[in-house]
Amino acid sequence: MNQENNDINHLIHDTRAPLNRISMQAELIKMVLENDMPKEKAIAAIDKILVACQDCSKRLQDIAELSQS
């Protein structure tokens, strides 16, 4: 495998981390809503989802830039 493929694979791997955070926080929101827990927990989880989405967007932009070079 050449270096470009290694770089792309590394970026794809790094993109999974924020996707996992999004999934975990969405599960937390679901638990909060199902169990009548304080809404502050849901708001904190939503904030973390938004940050993770920005992380994913950055990683995808990195992949796009790498593939154009």
Side-chain angles (χ1 to χ4, degrees):
M1 216 185 288
N2 65 27
Q3 184 60 40
E4 183 177 313
N5 285 343
N6 284 339
D7 292 345
I8 290 172
N9 286 335
H10 180 74
L11 289 169
I12 290 170
H13 178 267
D14 287 350
T15 304
R16 287 190 179 112
L19 289 173
N20 288 334
R21 288 194 308 267
I22 291 167
S23 178
M24 289 175 22
Q25 295 304 318
E27 287 291 329
L28 176 61
I29 292 169
K30 183 178 177 183
M31 288 173 41
V32 166
L33 295 174
E34 289 175 345
N35 296 306
D36 212 19
M37 295 169 69
K39 72 176 184 177
E40 290 78 20
K41 287 191 177 214
I43 292 170
I46 291 168
D47 288 339
K48 290 177 183 178
I49 287 172
L50 294 171
V51 168
C53 287
Q54 292 169 347
D55 289 348
C56 280
S57 181
K58 168 77 173 87
R59 304 268 191 261
L60 291 172
Q61 182 62 38
D62 292 345
I63 292 168
E65 289 173 4
L66 185 63
S67 68
Q68 291 174 359
S69 60

